[in-house]
Amino acid sequence: MESIYWVLNWACHRKCTHCYEDRFRPYVRGALEAVVREAEDAFPRIIANLPERMTYLDTSAPDDSEAGFKERRGRIIMAGGEVLLDPVRERVLYPVLEALNARYRNQGGVDISIQTTGDLVTEQILEDLRERGIRMIAISGMDDFHVGMEGDKRKPLIDKLHTMFEKTGYTEHSARTGFGEWQKNDGPTYLFFGATEDAWIGKIWPRGRAWDNGLSRATLKDNFCNAWSGGLGFLNHRYAGSEVSIDPTGDVFPCCLKTKAPIGNVTEEKLTDILDSLVGHPAFEAINMGHPERMGLSHGWDVGTFYEKSKTKDPKGNDYQNLCIGCDRFHEEVLAPVIEDIRQERLRALGVEAGPLVVAK
């Protein structure tokens, strides 16, 4: 597989207004211990069910091999929440990095990156991460939505981080050249990005606190599915362009935005088995092609119906229409029980009994 976006933990030291996930927030005392323990308990089983090789065939680079294309090293992106919070970093992030490198060392390798807001980075942490084979650190809090990072206020932190990265041997990489390009560097790299006007996430996803606060400016023209970190290509796990998202508990989604229902859980079965079981299903093939408006064609929803279901009012009372809304409603009204039936069929074949996965409200 080319890419896995793994949300390691729900804990964060911020509660940003534009966050796509309500569970990313500060936790204290027993609540913090609970979410850290949840991630700590799940990650060994998640790693055990990841693909045998984190490599993919590059369809833009044909060769004379049996597979017909060059095999390239894939990547796993660690995100939160905030992965550098003390208990998360020591009890989850560092052990996961060590386990992943051990798992893939003799299986073609893997490139690992993390996303962090940047304000918890220290030279010692950078050294610790490099010792554990990190290839990229993406500073993702560089936007006006992060308190204290508005406009020129973020410049002192950016300058400080530049100094620390250079001192510890990291090379700067530009997000504008594509996230995958950093893998061509020999050593660890870093970059800065955020939800700015010129960024791909600038329209803000209709999710979580961003939705509750009426911040999404996406329209029907903004097809988040038909892009990287959307559902585009997620089923084609052997080839370039495939990425899935995994939550701290192991729930799997075809996009970072997250569909209303997970497609399976990798603490209980292999990731590739989950994906392969959905190949050929009309709804998931539509997501895979980046055309969610066609998800319901075999279930009585024509494209016009999907567009109509994509209409709503945002929390501020404004008219709103985006394909993500239609996708949510299709899952709620039609697809969630279909997904569960497919999952239970897979689990029965494994001799496993499990309760249903949680469908988001």
Side-chain angles (χ1 to χ4, degrees):
M1 178 168 283
E2 181 173 358
S3 183
I4 293 174
Y5 188 88
W6 184 359
V7 174
L8 280 185
N9 190 79
W10 300 121
C12 190
H13 60 310
R14 292 175 174 267
K15 193 176 181 180
C16 298
T17 60
H18 74 309
C19 189
Y20 71 98
E21 173 58 73
D22 295 328
R23 286 171 290 184
F24 293 151
R25 56 181 172 81
Y27 294 80
V28 297
R29 296 183 289 278
L32 177 59
E33 174 60 25
V35 293
V36 173
R37 179 64 62 84
E38 177 183 63
E40 203 173 25
D41 291 344
F43 82 71
R45 288 175 290 156
I46 292 173
I47 291 174
N49 282 323
L50 294 183
E52 292 301 315
R53 291 174 67 85
M54 269 306 297
T55 59
Y56 64 96
L57 298 176
D58 185 351
T59 52
S60 69
D63 65 11
D64 296 328
S65 67
E66 184 177 346
F69 303 98
K70 289 184 178 179
E71 185 182 49
R72 302 201 188 280
R73 195 168 55 239
R75 58 188 174 273
I76 298 177
I77 303 162
M78 307 287 180
E82 176 51 73
V83 296
L84 296 186
L85 283 171
D86 286 344
V88 179
R89 185 182 72 249
E90 297 292 339
R91 292 168 52 186
V92 183
L93 176 61
Y94 287 173
V96 165
L97 292 176
E98 293 161 5
L100 286 173
N101 280 303
R103 175 177 172 85
Y104 292 113
R105 184 171 293 116
N106 298 317
Q107 298 295 331
V110 62
D111 286 336
I112 305 174
S113 73
I114 66 166
Q115 290 183 2
T116 173
T117 55
D119 48 341
L120 299 184
V121 173
T122 67
E123 287 185 22
Q124 184 59 58
I125 288 174
L126 293 180
E127 294 284 5
D128 292 343
L129 289 169
R130 193 166 72 161
E131 288 176 6
R132 290 168 174 81
I134 201 73
R135 290 297 309 282
M136 159 66 79
I137 298 178
I139 307 298
S140 59
M142 300 296 104
D143 56 55
D144 293 342
F145 293 102
H146 285 82
V147 176
M149 296 293 118
E150 303 91 342
D152 291 340
K153 290 183 181 179
R154 52 183 174 263
K155 187 178 184 304
L157 177 60
I158 291 174
D159 291 343
K160 177 182 176 183
L161 288 168
H162 273 307
T163 299
M164 285 194 288
F165 279 124
E166 291 171 10
K167 187 174 180 181
T168 51
Y170 288 71
T171 302
E172 186 174 13
H173 172 74
S174 172
R176 297 179 186 278
T177 60
F179 283 107
E181 292 296 308
W182 56 265
Q183 294 175 283
K184 297 178 180 179
N185 291 289
D186 292 332
T189 62
Y190 70 97
L191 60 78
F192 298 93
F193 77 100
T196 55
E197 291 291 333
D198 59 342
W200 63 278
I201 54 173
K203 292 293 182 73
I204 306 296
W205 296 334
R207 289 288 185 271
R209 288 191 296 276
W211 176 253
D212 293 340
N213 292 318
L215 295 177
S216 177
R217 295 180 293 104
T219 69
L220 197 61
K221 294 181 180 179
D222 299 298
N223 184 352
F224 293 117
C225 195
N226 192 32
W228 190 254
S229 289
L232 183 66
F234 85 101
L235 288 178
N236 309 331
H237 62 80
R238 190 69 186 96
Y239 297 93
S242 177
E243 181 182 72
V244 296
S245 177
I246 301 176
D247 270 2
T249 58
D251 283 351
V252 182
F253 299 88
C255 58
C256 290
L257 291 71
K258 295 193 293 189
T259 47
K260 276 287 185 177
I263 58 176
N265 185 287
V266 284
T267 66
E268 59 190 21
E269 54 179 330
K270 292 185 179 300
L271 176 59
T272 52
D273 289 348
I274 295 170
L275 297 176
D276 288 342
S277 74
L278 304 179
V279 171
H281 189 288
F284 294 103
E285 290 291 352
I287 295 174
N288 192 61
M289 294 298 291
H291 287 284
E293 73 278 6
R294 303 181 67 82
M295 288 172 65
L297 293 182
S298 63
H299 291 274
W301 283 38
D302 60 19
V303 172
T305 299
F306 196 97
Y307 284 152
E308 189 64 28
K309 294 283 189 176
S310 298
K311 294 179 179 179
T312 189
K313 295 278 189 182
D314 72 13
K316 292 184 176 180
N318 300 313
D319 290 333
Y320 186 92
Q321 188 177 19
N322 182 259
L323 295 173
C324 288
I325 303 300
C327 179
D328 289 348
R329 288 179 172 166
F330 185 65
H331 275 79
E332 291 169 341
E333 298 179 25
V334 179
L335 196 57
V338 175
I339 295 172
E340 186 58 35
D341 287 345
I342 297 172
R343 170 177 169 261
Q344 290 296 340
E345 184 177 346
R346 291 193 309 266
L347 295 179
R348 282 194 295 272
L350 296 172
V352 174
E353 293 186 10
L357 297 178
V358 175
V359 178
K361 295 181 180 179

